[in-house]
Amino acid sequence: MDVSADPAHDFISFVNASPTPFHAVASAKNRLVQAGFKEIKCGNPIAMIGAHTDSPTLRVKPVSRKQGEGFIQVGVETYGGGLWHTWFDRDLSLAGRVMVKNEGGEYVQKLVRIDRPILRIPTLAIHLDRQETFTFNKETQLFPIAGLVAAELNRADRADKPETPESSANSHETLNQQLAPLKLASERHHPYIVELIAKEAGVPSSSIVDFELVLYDTQKACTGGLNDELIFSARLDNLGMSYCSVTALIDSLSSPTALDNERCIRLVSLFDHEEIGSRTAQGADSNFLPAIIRRLSVVGPRNDEDTAYEQTLATSFLVSADMAHSVNPNYASKYENDHKPEMNKGTVIKINANARYATNSPGITLIQEVARRQKVPLQLFVVRNDSSCGSTIGPMLAASLGTRTLDLGNPQLSMHSIRETGGVYDVGYGVRLFEGFFEQFGELEKKIMVD
């Protein structure tokens, strides 16, 4: 089963360009536009792949301006269930979404990314606290430093002031007249951080109204291992599956005749907030995907519009694509003996008797036939009976839609660490598997009979 490393290198470019979910969606959108996507093709049923773009991270607090013992510090809150000890002593920066007021008085979104290390969470020297296990307080010790107060005071003294005293006074007077409900961004956050954000957004600091910024590791994703067979990267969970699904959708339409005689819609849905339960407007446990399917189900001529939505759900299929666990050689006893997925051995089908995953036998039958035709390997995973089991967007979407669903993902190590490990060739396997799913579902779904 030959597979190229090229998709892995393209994925590395994708993940390096996507430090936040906002950037990941923009990256996916740009790839689709560049591939010529302009409109939705009518059809029924729907071959769907659902993934999520968020990862555990640290988010800047609404009021983050803090300092202690001569250090400038930035207040953050935890997002999701991260392995937070891995965030210590890393070269960190900021990225996210900024709301700005333009010259026309409109409030617009801009994506920003400060592409250099400006933050660090320092550990305590072992000489001062010889802990057997590394423990810390997430509020008081998972607390980034951004520099020295003295250095910032010197910089501020040297900096040229763009406003004259008169214009500055007039500006403050205008703001006071408006009785702004909240303090300015430059008051709630360190002014120089706001300046850096404004520079990245290409706007003056005074136009920044609010932002949603998260911390990210500035170390780029790369290949590694003796034979470059591994990927060392942040956010493999779940940009790995987001990339595979978007790339497969594009590749499935590379032929000019790809949609000739096609009766199915091909759909990818990239959700936010999976790591915190999905109960948001952008999450999988919302009305977002059902509303889109309802609109698609009545597009074009229909003689049965009253039940078109229900018929679409009954004949569609959802692949819930979320990264899976590779066996860790240092903790092999944590895995069920006969279900130890390996790197570069193919995508992993995830199964759980208590429905933490949505996989069942008809779904396995379908995806196995797709894999056979695409000549890609598959693996199986279940947790031990004495182990807890994670979950995905699969069960909640299966419950809300009533659509056949299967959970799978490529294997990785160190899930929810700031730096994770995946297999180079599994990227290509994942793309080929999803491409085959899009191309062949219309034919195969009619052949799998279930009472």
Side-chain angles (χ1 to χ4, degrees), residues 371-448:
R372 185 189 67 80
R373 295 184 181 192
Q374 295 295 101
K375 296 181 171 56
V376 296
L378 293 172
Q379 305 182 77
L380 297 170
F381 175 76
V382 298
V383 297
R384 292 167 54 98
N385 287 323
D386 56 1
S387 172
S388 59
C389 181
S391 191
T392 68
I393 63 174
M396 67 180 66
L397 286 174
S400 64
L401 297 174
T403 296
R404 295 168 292 178
T405 305
L406 178 135
D407 272 294
L408 52 67
N410 283 347
Q412 69 161 91
L413 291 171
S414 306
M415 188 175 288
H416 289 195
S417 171
I418 196 172
R419 197 77 177 167
E420 301 169 330
T421 301
V424 160
Y425 302 108
D426 286 326
V427 179
Y429 286 141
V431 172
R432 277 167 52 180
L433 179 67
F434 291 168
E435 182 182 357
F437 169 68
F438 284 130
E439 294 173 342
Q440 299 158 24
F441 173 69
E443 173 198 349
L444 291 176
E445 70 95 12
K446 298 181 292 185
K447 298 181 177 180
I448 300 174

Side-chain angles (χ1 to χ4, degrees), residues 223-231 343-344 422-426:
T223 57
L226 292 175
N227 298 289
D228 277 332
E229 70 271 40
L230 302 176
I231 297 175
M343 295 279 189
N344 292 324
V424 160
Y425 302 108
D426 286 326

Side-chain angles (χ1 to χ4, degrees), residues 21 57 137 185 200 208 213 224 272 326 357 365 371 413 417:
T57 187
N137 183 288
E200 291 296 321
I208 293 180
L213 296 181
D272 199 357
S326 167
Y357 304 129
T365 301
L413 291 171
S417 171

Side-chain angles (χ1 to χ4, degrees), residues 15 39 58 92 170 213 326 330:
V15 73
E39 60 183 0
L58 298 173
L92 306 173
N170 291 337
L213 296 181
S326 167
N330 299 333

Side-chain angles (χ1 to χ4, degrees), residues 1 7 35 41 43 84 115 127 144 166 192 206 228 242 308 368 441:
M1 296 181 179
K41 186 73 176 180
W84 301 121
D115 198 15
H127 315 80
E166 292 78 14
Y192 192 32
S206 58
D228 277 332
S242 297
Q368 183 174 225
F441 173 69

